[in-house]
Amino acid sequence: MAVRPIRIIGDPVLHTPTRRVEVFDDALKALVEDMFDTMEAAEGVGLAANQIGVDLRLFVYDCPDEELRARVRGVVVNPVLETSERPETMPDPEDDEEGCLSVPAEHFPTGRAEWARVTGVDVDGAPVQVEGRGFLARCLQYETDHLDGVIYLDRLIGRHQRAARKMLRHNGWGVPGLAWDPATEQAEDV
């Protein structure tokens, strides 16, 4: 399998809703393996297909489940998200900080629902459901957002939104064609 370059914010594939997966074949399985390899190389906890330039509706994850006190790993194809109510208050900088492999080495507080459930299918088309609270819920919301063309910076409010715009200008991001390769680069060096 292979580690693929990760698109940086501004690439149109990140800002456009993805297409449903209709074909469940060896090519899909190979894509999922590449996504796991890429996520691991980038030291991430989730990766949506469009982050590697593929406009298909699927994501992989490997993140902690606070209730199980274990890491959970998997893939969800054609996910549908349900959540508890999302907070409308300013997120807590200590508890709500998020980062993104498509916005490498940057972090901002982002409000998310405490509970989330994603239903979809696996790479063979069999039903799958993932449900969690806390960090796992955050991960499920985050990756589904990616597939809807929403990056976490789009959810920022107030001073965090202003700081993110300043960061984008400073880094020269927000334009098409930028990517980084986690096989050869660290996010902090992008």
Side-chain angles (χ1 to χ4, degrees), residues 73-154:
R73 177 180 161 102
V75 58
V76 183
V77 179
N78 298 329
V80 175
L81 176 70
E82 300 171 68
T83 68
S84 57
E85 189 173 332
R86 291 184 183 185
E88 294 184 20
T89 59
M90 186 65 83
D92 184 327
E94 292 186 26
D95 293 332
D96 296 328
E97 190 169 85
E98 289 186 0
C100 179
L101 297 177
S102 292
V103 188
E106 300 291 342
H107 300 88
F108 293 95
T110 309
R112 297 285 182 183
E114 174 59 24
W115 171 87
R117 175 175 40 222
V118 170
T119 54
V121 296
D122 65 14
V123 293
D124 296 312
V128 65
Q129 177 175 290
V130 184
E131 181 176 344
R133 296 192 170 283
F135 193 85
L136 179 56
R138 183 175 291 276
C139 181
L140 298 174
Q141 294 168 74
Y142 187 97
E143 298 307 330
T144 305
D145 266 359
H146 262 303
L147 300 176
D148 293 335
V150 176
I151 294 181
Y152 87 108
L153 297 184
D154 298 329

Side-chain angles (χ1 to χ4, degrees), residues 2-135:
V3 173
R4 299 196 192 186
I6 297 174
R7 304 293 176 93
I8 293 176
I9 187 169
D11 194 297
V13 74
L14 294 171
H15 305 281
T16 306
T18 53
R19 296 178 295 122
R20 285 184 55 81
V21 173
E22 303 289 343
V23 178
F24 295 82
D25 59 6
D26 288 341
L28 179 65
K29 291 175 183 169
L31 170 63
V32 168
E33 290 302 316
D34 287 356
M35 290 173 66
F36 275 118
D37 290 347
T38 303
M39 178 180 65
E40 185 176 307
E43 300 178 2
V45 295
L47 184 72
N50 56 344
Q51 289 183 272
I52 60 169
V54 178
D55 73 334
L56 290 176
R57 191 166 183 81
L58 72 141
F59 68 83
V60 297
Y61 62 94
D62 183 359
C63 61
D65 182 328
E66 296 163 10
E67 291 181 338
L68 295 176
R69 295 185 181 176
R71 291 190 75 81
V72 291
R73 177 180 161 102
V75 58
V76 183
V77 179
N78 298 329
V80 175
L81 176 70
E82 300 171 68
T83 68
S84 57
E85 189 173 332
R86 291 184 183 185
E88 294 184 20
T89 59
M90 186 65 83
D92 184 327
E94 292 186 26
D95 293 332
D96 296 328
E97 190 169 85
E98 289 186 0
C100 179
L101 297 177
S102 292
V103 188
E106 300 291 342
H107 300 88
F108 293 95
T110 309
R112 297 285 182 183
E114 174 59 24
W115 171 87
R117 175 175 40 222
V118 170
T119 54
V121 296
D122 65 14
V123 293
D124 296 312
V128 65
Q129 177 175 290
V130 184
E131 181 176 344
R133 296 192 170 283
F135 193 85

